[in-house]
Amino acid sequence: MKLFSQYHSKRMLVSGQGPVVENARVLGFENVVTVDELRMAFPVLDMVDLQRRPKSTPLPRNDFPAIEGVLLLGEPVRWETSLQLIIDVLLSNGNPGTGLATAPYPHLPVLASNMDLLWMAEAKMPRFGHGTFLLCLETIYRKVTGKELRYEGLMGKPSVLTYQYAEDLIRQQAERRGWVAPIQKLYAIGDNPMSDVYGANLFHKYLQMVKRDGAEERGAGGLWKPRPSATQSCASILVCTGVYSPKGPEATRPAQDAEEAPFHGHRDFSFSPGLMEASHIVNDVNEAIQLVFHKEGWAL
């Protein structure tokens, strides 16, 4: 998010939960409006909850500055409110109190992070993640307008940009420690085949393409050019303490049926069964670290 500096001064509607304003400012966004602030400014927009509906029709406002973009940091608490107001902003070109006869397209810029459809908590089955919220938003927008919701930036695993950024941070840490030898091999540990494994393998594929074809490394749609990389590979390590379970259907599904399996990835990433196959499968993070030590020939 810090790389998209051309949006940092724009008035952005931010969605998520927790200290979203503080989080957005840490990322560089200087002028943000929360969904709750927008709802309070235009109370007639939020009509699902009968208890929150205004008892009388408020006077229309014309002093609320137009919103210039949407920033989606994570799943909100009241999905129906956030979905409604984000769609209102997109259809009205940032002026939800007025509305437009024809929805503009392309719509206002949308930046989103965290595409996981599901995540694992204390429950026996996975819970909805921000990817599920994005799916709802995309589906509603397409149903209402007949057009696809477009993202100016889609960050988080399995985006290659996320791994480029992580690689750059690791390189900076190595430099601060005075390590001279370049880091040539990365290990990515995670519990979700669709985000963690898919993303690590996609980045490995990207590294091989750069190495083979001599292609120029790119990041953030040309907004940020990563430094030349010495990294040659990225190995994916899948742990069994989260979304993935060795007793689950994804662990026992025949290989020939992989293409018929439901695709839990984001719409903007094509389904490639091979990218969901981990380099290694271990029980937990401790075993993953031990595996890395063994692979690198380090004493435990």
Side-chain angles (χ1 to χ4, degrees):
M1 290 287 190
K2 292 180 179 179
L3 306 177
F4 290 79
S5 56
Q6 77 271 38
Y7 299 113
H8 287 175
S9 62
K10 293 188 179 295
R11 188 170 169 84
M12 304 288 287
L13 176 67
V14 59
S15 171
Q17 57 180 285
V20 290
V21 173
E22 291 82 354
N23 290 342
R25 286 176 178 162
V26 167
L27 296 172
F29 295 90
E30 305 163 359
N31 189 4
V32 296
V33 179
T34 67
V35 171
D36 274 342
E37 289 172 337
L38 183 63
R39 180 182 67 83
M40 295 299 291
F42 302 99
V44 297
L45 298 180
D46 186 22
M47 302 295 282
V48 172
D49 188 341
L50 298 179
Q51 299 299 319
R52 297 212 302 184
R53 286 187 183 183
K55 303 302 184 226
S56 59
T57 303
L59 294 174
R61 292 187 58 169
N62 56 11
D63 61 340
F64 196 84
I67 291 171
E68 300 173 286
V70 178
L71 182 62
L72 307 175
L73 296 182
E75 58 267 31
V77 175
R78 284 181 171 263
W79 285 32
E80 78 283 357
T81 298
S82 293
L83 289 170
Q84 178 71 75
L85 270 61
I86 292 169
I87 292 292
D88 287 340
V89 165
L90 296 178
L91 297 185
S92 66
N93 203 33
N95 296 282
T98 57
L100 296 176
T102 304
Y105 198 82
H107 52 69
L108 292 174
V110 178
L111 302 176
S113 65
N114 187 358
M115 295 167 270
D116 285 7
L117 185 77
L118 304 169
W119 67 287
M120 202 67 191
E122 289 76 19
K124 298 299 182 182
M125 293 188 294
R127 304 294 86 194
F128 293 154
H130 194 218
T132 304
F133 180 82
L134 297 180
L135 176 61
C136 293
L137 185 65
E138 294 155 8
T139 303
I140 295 170
Y141 186 85
R142 184 175 65 248
K143 192 70 173 179
V144 171
T145 67
K147 298 180 175 67
E148 295 291 342
L149 181 74
R150 296 169 54 179
Y151 296 94
E152 290 298 314
L154 195 56
M155 286 142 280
K157 298 171 292 188
S159 170
V160 167
L161 171 62
T162 296
Y163 289 84
Q164 288 178 313
Y165 189 63
E167 179 193 14
D168 194 58
L169 293 179
I170 290 172
R171 185 186 300 119
Q172 292 177 33
Q173 291 181 25
E175 290 174 352
R176 287 197 298 269
R177 286 164 172 75
W179 296 355
V180 179
I183 297 175
Q184 296 184 325
K185 189 171 186 178
L186 297 178
Y187 294 89
I189 303 169
D191 70 289
N192 192 325
M194 187 52 247
S195 60
D196 301 316
V197 174
Y198 188 105
N201 290 341
L202 186 64
F203 185 54
H204 177 78
K205 184 177 179 180
Y206 165 81
L207 291 172
Q208 299 304 300
M209 179 191 69
V210 171
K211 180 181 177 182
R212 182 185 66 249
D213 302 335
E216 181 182 0
E217 292 191 63
R218 298 185 180 276
L223 300 172
W224 169 66
K225 188 178 185 302
R227 290 185 289 173
S229 172
T231 305
Q232 298 180 356
S233 64
C234 180
S236 55
I237 305 178
L238 180 63
V239 297
C240 305
T241 50
V243 171
Y244 175 81
S245 170
K247 298 179 181 179
E250 69 277 11
T252 57
R253 186 181 296 120
Q256 61 268 26
D257 294 340
E259 294 187 7
E260 300 177 8
F263 179 52
H264 288 175
H266 187 267
R267 174 201 68 187
D268 292 356
F269 291 81
S270 60
F271 179 43
S272 179
L275 293 179
M276 295 176 64
E277 297 179 6
S279 306
H280 310 279
I281 301 177
V282 297
N283 286 322
D284 52 33
V285 174
N286 181 52
E287 284 192 16
I289 298 299
Q290 292 186 40
L291 173 66
V292 172
F293 276 33
H294 175 73
K295 290 288 183 180
E296 296 299 318
W298 299 338
L300 294 177

